Amino acid sequence: MNSEEPRQGRPAPPVHPPAGPPPNGGHDGYGGGYGTQAPIVVTRTSSHRGAWIGAGATLVAAVIGVVGTYLVSSNKNENSAPPTAQAPATASATPSGAETRGGDDAPADASQSQESTPGPETSAPPATEAPSTPPAKPAGTEEWKGALVITYTDDKDLDSVPPAESEIGEENDFSVYPFGGHMLRPESGVKALVWKDTTNRAPSYADCARDIDTLGTESEMELKTGLVLCASTNDGRLARLTVKELAGLASDTRAVFDVVVWSR
C-alpha cells in the first residue's frame, strides 16, 4: 500500500494553501493576493445541537421524577395523619370567629372559660361583710339603769345611753327649774305621771305602759324626795324616775334620780 494514500476509515485531511505570501508578490503573477483561495471552515452545528437536546431531555425527566416522588410522599403523609390532628385548628377558629362578628355575645369555649377562671393564687379576696345591726331588744328590756342628775342648766335626753343633754333642744325629755321649790318640766311632748300605790311597790314596765297614755300629763310637777314617776320619752320609750335628792336654789337647782329606761 502506498504511504501517500489515505488510510481506509479515516477522512483525508483538508488541503490548506501554503502559509506565507503567495509567489510573485501575491498578485497571481502581478504581485498581488487577489487570486488566493479562502480557507474552508467546516462547522459541526448539527452534532452539538443534538447533544444539547439530549442533555436537556435528561434533565427534564430527572426533575419530573423528583417532583412526582415528593407529591406521592406528601399524599401518603396526609392520609396517614390521625383525624384528631385538626382539633387545635378548630378550637382556635372559634375565638377568631367571635372577633370577626364585631364582639357579639358568643358563648366562650371550654378552653377560654378555664383560662378566664382565676386560680387559687389569683382569686380576689372575699369581700368583707358589713357589720349587721344587732337585733332589737324585746319591749320592756332594761336599756339603761342608774343615777341621773338633772340641773337648771343641764337638761337630759333619756333616749341616749347613758342619758345626757342633747345639743338639739327638742330631743331633751326633762328639765328642772326653781319655782318656790324644785319643779320638773316635761319637754317636747313628753308625758309623766306620779305613781301612787298603798304598798309602796315600784311600778313595773307593764304598770307604766298601762297608765301613761290615760293618766300621763305634760304639765310641770313639784318634786319631793321619794316621789316615783312613770314617763314616756319623745322617742316612745318608757322610764321610771325615783327622786333621791333635791338641792340648790335658783340657777344651782339640781335633782338626783334613780332611773330605769326600758326598750320600746
Side-chain angles (χ1 to χ4, degrees):
M1 179 182 293
N2 190 358
S3 61
E4 297 298 328
E5 294 177 358
R7 296 180 181 180
Q8 187 177 0
R10 294 182 180 181
V15 178
H16 298 283
N24 299 323
H27 293 277
D28 195 14
Y30 294 96
Y34 297 102
T36 305
Q37 185 178 0
I40 300 172
V41 179
V42 179
T43 60
R44 300 181 181 274
T45 58
S46 60
S47 61
H48 289 290
R49 182 180 301 171
W52 280 109
I53 292 174
T58 302
L59 179 61
V60 170
V63 171
I64 293 174
V66 171
V67 172
T69 303
Y70 175 77
L71 294 177
V72 171
S73 62
S74 299
N75 292 332
K76 289 182 179 180
N77 292 333
E78 291 178 357
N79 294 331
S80 61
T84 57
Q86 297 180 357
T90 303
S92 62
T94 301
S96 62
E99 293 176 357
T100 57
R101 287 194 296 269
D104 294 340
D105 297 334
D109 56 2
S111 61
Q112 289 180 337
S113 61
Q114 292 177 359
E115 293 177 357
S116 61
T117 303
E121 297 181 356
T122 60
S123 60
T128 304
E129 296 182 357
S132 58
T133 303
K137 297 179 181 179
T141 304
E142 291 184 358
E143 289 191 349
W144 185 83
K145 181 179 181 180
L148 179 65
V149 178
I150 302 177
T151 67
Y152 179 71
T153 59
D154 187 13
D155 302 343
K156 288 295 186 290
D157 176 17
L158 300 185
D159 291 311
S160 62
V161 180
E165 182 179 15
S166 174
E167 295 180 357
I168 302 175
E170 292 78 5
E171 293 183 356
N172 292 315
D173 295 305
F174 290 101
S175 62
V176 173
Y177 71 97
F179 186 75
H182 294 74
M183 304 295 293
L184 179 67
R185 174 186 294 166
E187 303 287 349
S188 304
V190 173
K191 290 183 177 182
L193 64 88
V194 176
W195 175 256
K196 295 178 181 180
D197 185 81
T198 57
T199 62
N200 294 326
R201 179 181 61 88
S204 63
Y205 169 80
D207 295 331
C208 291
R210 183 190 64 222
D211 297 336
I212 191 64
D213 290 334
T214 58
L215 301 177
T217 179
E218 299 179 14
S219 302
E220 298 90 345
M221 58 190 67
E222 187 175 359
L223 297 177
K224 61 181 180 180
T225 303
L227 186 68
V228 179
L229 304 169
C230 285
S232 63
T233 68
N234 53 28
D235 202 18
R237 291 177 175 83
L238 294 180
R240 183 181 66 211
L241 292 78
T242 303
V243 181
K244 292 297 183 180
E245 180 182 346
L246 298 173
L249 295 173
S251 61
D252 294 332
T253 299
R254 60 193 299 267
V256 179
F257 299 87
D258 185 11
V259 177
V260 176
V261 180
W262 292 293
S263 61
R264 52 184 179 175

